[in-house]
Amino acid sequence: LEGFASVRFANFGSIDTRASINVPITDWLKTRATFISKNSDGWVSNTYLKEKLFDTNTIGFLGSVQILPTDDITIDVMGNYGNSHQRGQASRCIMQPGAEPAFGPTLIPDLPAACGETTPRISTADVNQIYSSEDYGVWGSANWDVGPVGLLDELSFTVKGSWRSGGFATRQDLDGTYLPVIAVLLAE
């Protein structure tokens, strides 16, 4: 039996944890599990919605089992799960010099002033922005070392397989201001 654990604290309320444990149940059955988490309060202020952005809430798990039914057969099965959620991203609005349309004044007259209120650490987005993802899977292999057979010095058979799934959702305010210009919602 062996393992380790760690906790790390940092600025913006960050707490990162990691833990892992190896548990040999018998000579022919071994297990390992690892867990991680990462959490923080965010470092960008949305002054319009009165919330912090770029926070992090992530967890992950990885587990494995090894079965050794005989000296020449090895079966490995592994799986993982991960989930991450973040409120928004820094949406800084920047007006490019010369971006004024050739046919007259801008279509959104208040946009230059609204853009001027954003900085790398201050957003005024009018959309509660999120990014969320989840993934999980199982994979494994079975190997049979037959040994020497006829003219062959070594013969072995291996079977491998895997399955993965997951999804994501995001909601973004592309202009990064309190003006209702462009917002995008994507989900899988």
Side-chain angles (χ1 to χ4, degrees):
L1 177 69
E2 64 182 5
F4 79 90
S6 69
V7 178
R8 184 179 72 110
F9 299 93
N11 56 354
F12 303 109
S14 295
I15 302 172
D16 297 348
T17 62
R18 295 174 186 250
S20 186
I21 188 165
N22 294 329
V23 181
I25 309 239
T26 67
D27 289 343
W28 58 271
L29 180 62
K30 301 171 184 175
T31 63
R32 179 181 176 103
T34 301
F35 172 82
I36 66 158
S37 71
K38 184 176 184 113
N39 298 288
S40 70
D41 294 336
W43 54 273
V44 174
S45 295
N46 182 323
T47 57
Y48 185 78
L49 295 177
K50 310 284 191 263
E51 67 180 3
K52 288 287 192 178
L53 303 178
F54 262 136
D55 67 331
T56 303
N57 295 294
T58 301
I59 61 168
F61 171 79
L62 175 65
S64 65
V65 175
Q66 185 176 65
I67 304 167
L68 305 165
T70 66
D71 289 342
D72 54 2
I73 295 177
T74 302
I75 301 168
D76 292 309
V77 179
M78 290 149 282
N80 79 313
Y81 173 80
N83 185 314
S84 181
H85 183 81
Q86 183 180 68
R87 269 193 315 254
Q89 297 179 356
S91 298
R92 183 173 184 199
C93 180
I94 299 174
M95 294 295 293
Q96 294 294 338
E100 186 76 25
F103 54 83
T106 181
L107 297 175
I108 306 161
D110 296 335
L111 189 58
C115 283
E117 295 180 34
T118 66
T119 71
R121 303 249 340 242
I122 295 175
S123 171
T124 62
D126 61 331
V127 174
N128 184 359
Q129 302 180 88
I130 62 162
Y131 179 81
S132 185
S133 67
E134 180 178 51
D135 70 274
Y136 38 89
V138 177
W139 61 97
S141 66
N143 188 66
W144 176 27
D145 289 323
V146 179
V149 175
L151 297 173
L152 300 174
D153 292 337
E154 182 68 34
L155 178 64
S156 67
F157 296 97
T158 301
V159 176
K160 296 181 179 183
S162 65
W163 170 81
R164 296 206 59 75
S165 190
F168 75 94
T170 184
R171 184 172 47 228
Q172 299 293 322
D173 183 342
L174 297 182
D175 62 281
T177 70
Y178 51 83
L179 299 173
V181 179
I182 301 173
V184 176
L185 172 65
L186 297 174
E188 179 185 66

